[in-house]
Amino acid sequence: MVRQDCGSCHGMRLTGGLGPALTAEALTAKPPEYLQAVILHGIPGTPMPPWSAMLTAPEAQWIAQQLFQGFPLEKLEK
Ligand code: HEC
């Protein structure tokens, strides 16, 4: 789901596209709370949409943690 929906803008390997890269290297400087807030509420004035209609807060937190640790792309393919 993250690869499909987020990948359409952030790149299929989340290395960037219309939106910035979401790789662990690109995000290490950013707190997980910030990532969760961005995922839930989007960034006003940019194409980054809010996901609160589709995701719960714990789900957004989970995605933030996965991104932070380096998204396990290989695991998703299995
Ligand atoms: C419609 C295109 C689009 C989709 C779909 C999208 N994003 Fe984004 N996202 C963006 C753009 C554009 C930005 C940069 C906004 C800006 O200029 O600050 C962004 C920024 C972000 C940031 C902040 C990155 C940073 O370095 O500050 C995070 C985190 C993020 N997106 C996560 C996600 C996640 C997770 C998903 C899937 C649930 C997702 N995005 C889906 C377009 C998108």
Side-chain angles (χ1 to χ4, degrees):
M1 172 260 159
V2 172
R3 261 194 318 164
Q4 289 290 314
D5 289 350
C6 313
S8 59
C9 289
H10 291 280
M12 285 314 262
R13 300 196 67 81
L14 303 181
T15 47
L18 174 63
L22 295 180
T23 55
E25 300 84 67
L27 297 176
T28 43
K30 318 206 172 172
E33 296 76 32
Y34 163 79
L35 299 180
Q36 183 188 5
V38 166
I39 294 167
L40 274 184
H41 305 298
I43 303 178
T46 77
M48 175 63 191
W51 294 89
S52 51
M54 283 171 58
L55 296 172
T56 62
E59 283 167 345
Q61 190 180 24
W62 180 85
I63 293 173
Q65 274 166 5
Q66 299 302 307
L67 293 173
F68 207 61
Q69 288 164 8
F71 200 75
L73 292 164
E74 312 78 37
K75 283 186 196 158
L76 280 183
E77 271 147 27
K78 285 177 188 156

